[in-house]
Amino acid sequence: MNLNGKKIDLQVGEYTDWVRLVFKTGTGININGICRFLLKSWEPYVELYITPINIDPDKPALPISSPAVYSTYLAKKLGPFATLGLAEDTWALNENVINEEQFLKQAWDIHDERERMFFDALENLDRGVLALVFDSTDRIQHTFMRYLHDDHPANEGRDREIHKNAIEHLYTECDKLIEKITNKLDDDTLFIVMSDHGFKPFKRGININRWLYDNGYLVLKEDGKGGEWFDGVDWEKTKAYALGLAGIYLNRKGREGKGTVGSAEALQIKAEIIEKLHEYRDPERNEIAINQVFDSGQVMSGPYLKNAPDLIVGYKPGYRASWASVTGTVMEDIFTDNTKAWSGDHCMDPRTVPGVFFSNKKVSDEYLSIMDIAPTVLDMFGLKPPAYMDGKVLSVTLKEK
């Protein structure tokens, strides 16, 4: 294959290395991106998959690191690397554009890039904080959770055996990485491994907008006809709507463009929805689908609280907002099977998907929170955490007496 005058060798079933793309803007300025190609088949038809285009870290169209030159340094020393926030193409797997093997290749290649960055930074760090996110644990559990649950709807028509150990292999490799890192640390270094959430299966989707419609909180201009991004919603009669993975918003006066709900009525509507959805059941499976709905005013704080969802839905493991509900669509049914490869999730009752925390030093606190990390790090460097910062300073023993 020839691209921009450069020959690129393609092998069936194999990804190319990162390839630079040059986009001409018409203003005399070129914008660089990078992608990888995968020749899926040659006969009887040519099938060529292209990864999402990433900003070229060597010649970024806009700063993607601080200092700005750092991405260029990494690219020149370690080679091109993924720069998208979610670089692994999970949606291509969902839509069967690529298969499980091809997705895993993507995920592990990006993991290896992060590992090389981490150890390069570690070698050059004399004193300070080094933090890096390895998101392979997130991406692979999202897309391979179905293998751990024989009754998962996403197993229908898909392989159930070849990659059934993908998640176990993931944790085994991460354990090896932790050992490799630990072997490079001295006794004065604090090493923390933590996640911001855990994982559970996502078997059934709940269309909260349909529930709001059925219960009179969301009104459509034509009965039963509501499209994506709230197409067809009669905002002048609507009291509440759902957007995103767990949020229910009231159509508040002064916040929404056609708000209908005042402050006094808001309290009543929130109380009603909380009561009606408490331990809400899936009639097809005769099991609880929603544990509890939380009032954001009681569980959140801060200057931007007014922009937060008014209510947070605490789904029971196995359930989540349906794909259609996330984008404001009113479907015919409240409950639908999740048949996508994205078969695991964490946008559920947070009490059911706790993260992990462990350290090479003793931490004596009984209760830990992700919000405790920042104030603890500041305290270790002799800096007082600002008053507006959430979390507490953890009791960490650096040296045994």
Side-chain angles (χ1 to χ4, degrees):
M1 181 178 75
N2 289 302
L3 182 66
N4 294 333
K6 181 180 179 181
K7 182 179 178 181
I8 301 172
D9 292 329
L10 299 175
Q11 300 291 330
V12 175
E14 295 184 11
Y15 284 97
T16 65
D17 293 332
W18 288 107
V19 176
R20 176 171 291 165
L21 306 174
V22 180
F23 300 91
K24 299 183 183 299
T25 64
T27 61
I29 300 175
N30 293 336
I31 296 177
N32 295 320
I34 58 172
C35 70
R36 299 175 72 187
F37 295 89
L38 171 68
L39 182 61
K40 294 177 59 180
S41 68
W42 183 253
E43 294 179 326
Y45 305 104
V46 174
E47 291 186 83
L48 183 66
Y49 163 75
I50 305 172
T51 66
I53 297 172
N54 291 244
I55 292 175
D56 184 350
D58 189 17
K59 296 182 179 180
L62 50 85
I64 58 173
S65 64
S66 181
V69 72
Y70 186 59
S71 68
T72 302
Y73 157 79
L74 285 173
K76 290 190 179 302
K77 183 172 183 181
L78 305 177
F81 55 88
T83 57
L84 285 175
L86 202 165
E88 301 88 348
D89 197 352
T90 58
W91 208 255
L93 180 60
N94 271 344
E95 299 299 318
N96 298 314
V97 175
I98 59 176
N99 60 33
E100 286 81 4
E101 188 70 32
Q102 293 159 350
F103 177 80
L104 283 171
K105 174 62 175 171
Q106 268 193 39
W108 281 112
D109 284 350
I110 292 171
H111 177 93
D112 290 343
E113 291 173 357
R114 302 280 174 85
E115 192 169 325
R116 291 197 299 273
M117 292 180 201
F118 178 86
F119 285 108
D120 177 75
L122 186 61
E123 291 295 329
N124 290 286
L125 182 68
D126 293 323
R127 184 176 185 270
V129 178
L130 171 57
L132 195 142
V133 176
F134 289 96
D135 53 24
S136 53
T137 49
D138 180 90
R139 309 302 189 251
I140 292 175
Q141 288 188 96
H142 268 305
T143 50
F144 287 79
M145 183 62 66
R146 65 182 179 85
Y147 282 92
L148 303 183
H149 300 269
D150 291 336
D151 64 341
H152 202 297
N155 282 323
E156 186 68 30
R158 285 192 173 97
D159 161 62
R160 302 187 188 188
E161 293 295 325
I162 298 175
H163 300 291
K164 66 181 181 180
N165 295 321
I167 293 178
E168 180 180 356
H169 173 71
L170 166 70
Y171 277 95
T172 298
E173 292 303 306
C174 287
D175 283 347
K176 293 177 182 177
L177 174 59
I178 290 170
E179 180 183 21
K180 186 177 177 181
I181 294 172
T182 303
N183 289 338
K184 290 182 175 291
L185 304 181
D186 58 34
D187 291 337
D188 294 325
T189 300
L190 172 64
F191 179 38
I192 291 175
V193 177
M194 66 175 300
S195 68
D196 54 335
H197 55 72
F199 262 94
K200 297 290 184 181
F202 165 30
K203 300 178 182 179
R204 298 268 282 169
I206 305 178
N207 193 291
I208 294 294
N209 281 307
R210 179 70 203 197
W211 183 90
L212 291 170
Y213 170 74
D214 288 345
N215 285 269
Y217 297 105
L218 186 147
V219 179
L220 299 175
K221 295 175 183 177
E222 295 184 51
D223 285 346
K225 294 184 178 180
E228 194 174 28
W229 305 119
F230 303 102
D231 183 40
V233 170
D234 188 340
W235 290 108
E236 294 180 353
K237 298 178 181 178
T238 289
K239 300 292 185 181
Y241 61 97
L243 179 66
L245 290 162
I248 297 177
Y249 295 80
L250 301 188
N251 189 23
R252 287 182 177 269
K253 293 178 180 179
R255 184 179 69 178
E256 276 74 3
K258 296 182 179 180
T260 61
V261 178
S263 298
E265 188 182 11
L267 296 175
Q268 175 189 342
I269 293 175
K270 286 199 293 184
E272 288 177 4
I273 294 175
I274 288 173
E275 180 180 1
K276 290 177 180 179
L277 286 179
H278 181 69
E279 295 187 347
Y280 184 65
R281 302 186 75 84
D282 178 351
E284 291 184 40
R285 298 199 173 191
N286 192 29
E287 62 184 23
I288 292 173
I290 295 174
N291 287 339
Q292 185 177 347
V293 175
F294 303 92
D295 185 339
S296 61
Q298 297 179 9
V299 298
M300 297 179 178
S301 62
Y304 303 105
L305 178 61
K306 63 181 181 180
N307 298 325
D310 295 277
L311 300 168
I312 305 294
V313 183
Y315 298 99
K316 180 186 175 183
Y319 293 85
R320 198 204 73 177
S322 68
W323 296 101
S325 188
V326 167
T327 56
T329 305
V330 179
M331 298 293 288
E332 181 177 349
D333 298 316
I334 295 177
F335 289 92
T336 52
D337 283 341
N338 173 37
T339 59
K340 297 187 182 299
W342 186 289
S343 52
D345 218 293
H346 42 84
C347 296
M348 303 166 182
D349 184 339
R351 298 168 298 188
T352 67
V353 282
V356 301
F357 175 99
F358 56 93
S359 169
N360 65 337
K361 304 297 182 182
K362 183 178 180 180
V363 178
S364 57
D365 301 73
E366 184 177 358
Y367 299 104
L368 305 176
S369 166
I370 191 172
M371 293 184 290
D372 299 334
I373 302 303
T376 299
V377 170
L378 290 173
D379 181 74
M380 291 183 65
F381 284 90
L383 302 173
K384 184 178 180 180
Y388 60 78
M389 181 174 284
D390 292 325
K392 62 182 181 297
V393 176
L394 297 175
S395 302
V396 181
T397 303
L398 290 180
K399 291 184 178 181
E400 296 293 339
K401 296 180 180 180

